[in-house]
Amino acid sequence: MSTSSTRRPAQGAGRSGSTSRAETAVPSGDGRAVRKPAGSATRPRKAEPAEPAKRAPRAARLRKEQDILREAERQFAQFGFEGASLESIGAALGISRHNLLYYFPSKEALYRRVLDEVMGQWLQGMGAIASGEAPEAALRDYIAAKMRFSRERPSGSQVFTKEVIAGAPRYGEAIAELVLPPLKADVRAFERWARQGRIGRVDFTHLMFLIWSVTQAYADLAPQFALLLGKPALEDKDYAAAERLIVRLVLAGLKPDAS
């Protein structure tokens, strides 16, 4: 006995487009109705996890970096960029070249960081003239700061001098960017004092070059000066005598009747 070939439709499969679950019409962004299953409320998006705060460098790492920078400064001052090596710097500190590269990724990066540190300290003393009201007091403070730098950090001055004598191939842009603005500010201060009749008018840019040169000589040429004075190294009294003379000569050259 044969059965009928007509099958009953599955429950809920009546009209075209219907589904086995109830649906609701939800407007889309362009105005059309989009059908979504009933009860399927839009879930809020999970908030992105906040990035963890960067940790400050550990004190031990900072101390090691400073040890490396001091030794690198000494060797760059003595041997220049080409003569110094990461191996020799690391050997002086009892660490391997590989370990040193953990702190500084290359010799050039280490060299630039040394010069950054040197320039940072040097620039700290460059505000005395631009911010000063009295020419004599400002010049005395400025020259004292330059002489103090030469006395306390001769190796830093020597690294800088070697770079400049070589034509500043690795630090020229930084020198222009860092030094030119305070130099211009100092020249403007001199110009203001000259207009007020408080100092004589000279080429103030070259005046600054002369002050830099003569004060820096007591870092770069200190061994020669000590040799000629018959002593193993310059003493505090030598730097003090040089500072007094430099101040005297600069102030004498800036007297209003000397213009």
Side-chain angles (χ1 to χ4, degrees):
M1 184 175 168
S2 64
T3 58
S4 172
S5 59
T6 304
R7 295 184 179 178
R8 296 177 62 188
Q11 186 177 359
R15 295 183 304 274
S16 172
S18 64
T19 64
S20 59
R21 297 176 59 187
E23 294 176 339
T24 56
V26 180
S28 68
D30 57 4
R32 294 177 302 162
V34 177
R35 293 191 177 276
K36 299 184 69 176
S40 61
T42 304
R43 295 181 181 178
R45 178 182 292 180
K46 276 188 175 182
E48 294 291 333
E51 291 186 5
K54 291 184 178 179
R55 291 183 178 180
R58 292 184 301 175
R61 179 189 176 92
L62 294 176
R63 285 194 299 270
K64 178 61 71 175
E65 283 186 1
Q66 287 304 310
D67 289 343
I68 295 171
L69 287 168
R70 280 194 295 269
E71 181 58 29
E73 181 178 309
R74 187 188 71 79
Q75 295 204 26
F76 286 135
Q78 185 175 359
F79 306 114
F81 177 81
E82 299 296 342
S85 68
L86 295 181
E87 288 83 0
S88 63
I89 294 169
L93 297 167
I95 61 176
S96 66
R97 180 181 187 277
H98 180 75
N99 195 4
L100 194 153
L101 288 171
Y102 171 75
Y103 296 93
F104 298 95
S106 66
K107 185 170 80 166
E108 183 151 350
L110 176 56
Y111 180 73
R112 288 184 63 88
R113 176 68 181 278
V114 166
L115 283 169
D116 285 344
E117 299 264 323
V118 170
M119 287 295 296
Q121 184 177 348
W122 187 52
L123 290 169
Q124 285 177 2
M126 287 191 71
I129 293 174
S131 62
E133 293 298 326
E136 180 174 339
L139 280 162
R140 286 184 182 276
D141 289 345
Y142 185 85
I143 292 169
K146 288 288 290 149
M147 287 298 292
R148 185 166 55 250
F149 179 81
S150 293
R151 183 176 71 252
E152 295 175 353
R153 200 166 184 178
S155 59
S157 178
Q158 291 158 18
V159 176
F160 181 82
T161 298
K162 280 183 165 62
E163 170 69 13
V164 172
I165 289 174
R170 297 175 180 84
Y171 207 68
E173 290 184 7
I175 292 173
E177 180 181 345
L178 295 171
V179 178
L180 193 56
L183 173 61
K184 288 182 175 179
D186 289 344
V187 170
R188 287 195 297 270
F190 282 124
E191 292 285 356
R192 183 178 71 251
W193 292 331
R195 288 194 302 271
Q196 295 168 351
R198 303 171 75 181
I199 61 173
R201 186 174 292 280
V202 299
D203 188 317
F204 297 121
T205 300
H206 283 282
L207 172 64
M208 293 301 295
F209 293 167
L210 289 172
I211 293 174
W212 295 350
S213 300
V214 71
T215 53
Q216 197 166 323
Y218 282 85
D220 301 342
L221 302 178
Q224 177 186 345
F225 295 166
L227 178 66
L228 296 173
L229 289 172
K231 54 182 65 176
L234 292 180
E235 301 170 345
D236 287 346
K237 65 179 182 180
D238 299 315
Y239 291 101
E243 182 181 323
R244 288 193 299 270
L245 178 58
I246 295 166
V247 168
R248 179 180 175 182
L249 293 174
V250 170
L251 293 179
L254 285 174
K255 284 183 180 179
D257 60 353
S259 59

